[in-house]
Amino acid sequence: MSVAHLFDLDGRVALVTGGNGGLGLGMALGLAEAGAQIVVVARNAEKTATALSRIEATGVKALGLTADISRESDITAMVAKTIEVFGRLDILVNNAGMVVRKEPQHLTTDEWDQVLDVNLRGTFMAAKAAYPHMQRQGGGKIINIGSMFSIFGGGGSGAPYSASKGGVVQLSKSLAVAWAKDNIQVNAVLPGWF
């Protein structure tokens, strides 16, 4: 049975950060197969163009945007462009993320900040930017991508990653409670190795 038979997302618009490869592209393709129009946001424009051709092959309209998820101005612009092109935003998948693989004692403060800025702060800023549009249209879905390391430590090379992804889980719970009154469901998905 295809995804389209399980979920009908015709008329819906989904924005996927980090959606030009890996897990993000897989989610974007799944949403497209269910009928959603897709906005892919990532840093590599060439990789995004390749991803868009795969997404558009499902028969939906797709838009690629270049943005740095650690910059609030980029996040504001990506949501504004989504609304300008499609008129709505129904699903936000906060998938963009990064890791610095170093033992904790060798991390610089800047490296720590960079990981938390993308993984946790970026997730918050994107959800906050999407909120007024989802509220105005009567609801929406926000899916934040955590990690199995949200629950247990990432060993010697994953301190900021694990901390940021643990934060994503708690942020998701907090936003879910705060925005339930607006019919905006917020969930976190915790992938393992892929």
Side-chain angles (χ1 to χ4, degrees):
M1 181 178 287
S2 74
V3 173
H5 292 141
L6 294 173
F7 304 100
D8 181 8
L9 297 178
D10 284 338
R12 303 287 192 241
V13 176
L15 186 157
V16 183
T17 67
N20 65 359
L23 187 60
L25 177 56
M27 290 184 284
L29 287 166
L31 291 164
E33 288 172 6
Q37 298 175 89
I38 305 296
V39 180
V40 169
V41 179
R43 290 181 297 176
N44 184 322
E46 185 176 323
K47 190 174 173 185
T48 297
T50 301
L52 288 179
S53 66
R54 290 185 61 191
I55 293 166
E56 288 170 338
T58 68
V60 303
K61 183 177 177 182
L63 172 67
L65 301 174
T66 303
D68 179 342
I69 297 303
S70 68
R71 293 184 178 159
E72 189 168 12
S73 60
D74 284 13
I75 290 173
T76 301
M78 80 179 185
V79 171
K81 189 67 175 176
T82 299
I83 300 301
E84 176 188 326
V85 172
F86 293 104
R88 61 187 300 123
L89 175 57
D90 300 284
I91 302 163
L92 169 64
V93 180
N94 280 311
N95 173 69
M98 66 167 299
V99 64
V100 174
R101 298 186 199 292
K102 286 186 177 179
E103 295 289 320
Q105 67 273 20
H106 299 301
L107 282 165
T108 67
T109 304
D110 286 344
E111 289 168 333
W112 174 273
D113 289 345
Q114 185 180 24
V115 174
L116 268 76
D117 281 353
V118 171
N119 296 359
L120 181 55
R121 186 171 175 265
T123 295
F124 166 70
M125 290 188 301
K128 183 181 175 194
Y131 171 78
H133 304 286
M134 291 182 173
Q135 181 194 41
R136 189 167 37 255
Q137 68 196 27
K141 313 287 186 197
I142 299 175
I143 303 161
N144 297 324
I145 306 305
S147 167
M148 62 184 182
F149 294 116
S150 297
I151 299 169
F152 53 86
S157 65
Y161 183 82
S162 296
S164 68
K165 293 300 187 173
V168 165
V169 170
Q170 294 307 318
L171 172 64
S172 300
K173 291 177 181 180
S174 296
L175 296 180
V177 171
W179 296 345
K181 68 185 182 312
D182 299 306
N183 194 32
I184 299 171
Q185 290 82 49
V186 184
N187 290 284
V189 177
L190 312 183
W193 299 111
F194 67 94

